[in-house]
Amino acid sequence: MIKKKLSEIALLFVAFVWGATFVIVQHAIQALPPFSFNAIRFLLAGLLLLLICIWKEKGKLQITLHTIIPGFILGLCLFTGYTFQTIGLLYTTPAKAGFITGLSVVLVPILSYFMLKHRAETGAIIGSILAAVGLYLLAVKNSEPFSLGDLLVLISAFGFAFHILCTDRFSRHISVLLVTTIQILTVSLLSFISAFLLENWRRSFSANVLLTNEMIMALFITAILATAAAFFIQTIAQRFTTPSRVAIILTMEPVFAAITSFLWIHEKINTAGLLGCLLILIGMVFTEIPFEFLRKRHKKTIELPK
């Protein structure tokens, strides 16, 4: 029980890091295109984790298909999420993209049931619905109708949902550090390929762009905190909780993004946004209510003595 609580606190910290670094990433990709930025960000994070792996194993690092395949699958899910979200942003608003990406909180329990035969707890179901409504109020109230960009971002939501489910499946059986390293390097490799195909890579990887103080700081913070540390913590923490609860906790990312945007760049939050934040918090609280335990206890109290 203590490990479960600690793991969920750790996941909340991950959501805080991702939300707090949103402003940093938003400014960085104004100078360095998204694929190029992610390629370098994930490469630095992957190399750092690889060095830690080599140090931990005293130079005798053993990489087998048993670790490569899960790491590649996780990396592919993560890359799918980032790629379709990035392309979708060309055709839709950031607010709608944030909401649709956050719908993974609803997709996770549904996919978990059909793929893993895991029936979500009552609290997780109620919490998912409240969090989804909260995300809507926080991001897209009074927005435009569904568009091509929204469809692309919805695909990214499936990518992030599958990433949570696959992490739950793989993290219990293999080295957390090694599989995290492989998945992050996979994202970096696929991002480099995309950058060379879809972006002006000669300009992106020039010294004039990469060696500015702002870019070095952005890459340093996102690579170490928001990538290497965050995904390592997520992979460990998912050993002790359910995918549905992970998805709900991670919906706090846009809440932290809204708070840090207000504090750093004075971006205003309207009444609907504040209500949305509140509903997401209430959704998290509902995941802590043991409905199944209360139902069983109530059933026992009404049973007649034989």
Side-chain angles (χ1 to χ4, degrees):
M1 191 59 156
I2 294 176
K3 287 183 177 180
K4 182 173 178 294
K5 295 299 180 186
L6 290 175
S7 68
E8 291 175 355
I9 291 172
L11 287 167
L12 190 60
F13 171 74
V14 169
F16 167 75
V17 170
W18 284 341
T21 54
F22 183 83
V23 175
I24 297 174
V25 173
Q26 191 177 45
H27 279 85
I29 61 176
Q30 300 301 316
L32 186 62
F35 284 122
S36 300
F37 180 81
N38 282 332
I40 299 172
R41 164 187 170 178
F42 280 86
L43 177 63
L44 293 174
L47 291 177
L48 173 63
L49 290 175
L50 183 61
L51 290 174
I52 295 174
C53 282
I54 294 172
W55 172 78
K56 184 180 177 182
E57 299 298 327
K58 298 179 180 178
K60 300 177 181 179
L61 189 63
Q62 295 183 348
I63 301 176
T64 64
L65 286 177
H66 183 64
T67 53
I68 291 177
I69 293 176
F72 178 78
I73 292 173
L74 288 171
L76 186 60
C77 291
L78 202 56
F79 175 76
T80 300
Y82 276 102
T83 298
F84 281 94
Q85 185 185 62
T86 303
I87 298 174
L89 278 169
L90 296 174
Y91 306 101
T92 189
T93 64
K96 291 182 74 176
F99 163 65
I100 296 171
T101 302
L103 285 179
S104 58
V105 70
V106 179
L107 293 173
V108 166
I110 295 173
L111 293 174
S112 181
Y113 176 76
F114 285 105
M115 292 176 56
L116 306 176
K117 306 302 179 184
H118 291 169
R119 184 177 179 181
E121 298 174 355
T122 304
I125 294 172
I126 297 173
S128 297
I129 295 171
L130 288 172
V133 175
L135 284 165
Y136 173 76
L137 292 173
L138 181 62
V140 294
K141 189 176 183 295
N142 299 322
S143 190
E144 297 178 356
F146 200 79
S147 65
L148 171 63
D150 299 331
L151 177 62
L152 295 173
V153 177
L154 182 60
I155 296 173
S156 83
F158 275 93
F160 289 125
F162 277 116
H163 179 261
I164 291 174
L165 291 174
C166 291
T167 300
D168 178 71
R169 184 69 178 270
F170 298 138
S171 64
R172 303 172 191 273
H173 308 291
I174 52 182
S175 167
V176 172
L177 183 59
L178 188 55
V179 78
T180 304
T181 303
I182 293 171
Q183 72 165 315
I184 287 176
L185 288 175
T186 298
V187 176
S188 176
L189 174 62
L190 295 175
S191 295
F192 268 114
I193 294 172
S194 300
F196 284 121
L197 294 176
L198 302 172
E199 295 175 350
N200 184 355
W201 59 271
R202 288 184 177 84
R203 178 189 174 279
S204 299
F205 301 130
S206 66
N208 292 335
V209 175
L210 294 179
L211 298 183
T212 63
N213 293 333
E214 293 81 4
M215 187 60 66
I216 291 172
M217 183 61 68
L219 288 169
F220 179 79
I221 293 174
T222 56
I224 295 178
L225 281 179
T227 307
F231 285 110
F232 179 62
I233 291 171
Q234 180 190 350
T235 308
I236 291 179
Q238 282 202 224
R239 289 184 169 188
F240 306 105
T241 188
T242 64
S244 298
R245 293 168 79 92
V246 172
I248 293 171
I249 292 170
L250 293 183
T251 58
M252 285 296 293
E253 178 187 350
V255 176
F256 288 128
I259 294 171
T260 52
S261 294
F262 173 76
L263 293 175
W264 290 355
I265 60 176
H266 307 294
E267 183 177 337
K268 294 182 179 180
I269 307 174
N270 58 23
T271 305
L274 291 173
L275 180 58
C277 293
L278 181 61
L279 283 175
I280 292 172
L281 289 170
I282 294 173
M284 287 184 58
V285 172
F286 264 90
T287 66
E288 298 297 323
I289 299 175
F291 286 95
E292 281 73 11
F293 173 77
L294 293 174
R295 191 182 301 116
K296 290 178 182 178
R297 185 174 180 181
H298 177 67
K299 186 177 179 182
K300 287 181 181 179
T301 58
I302 63 174
E303 284 181 350
L304 294 175
K306 296 180 180 178

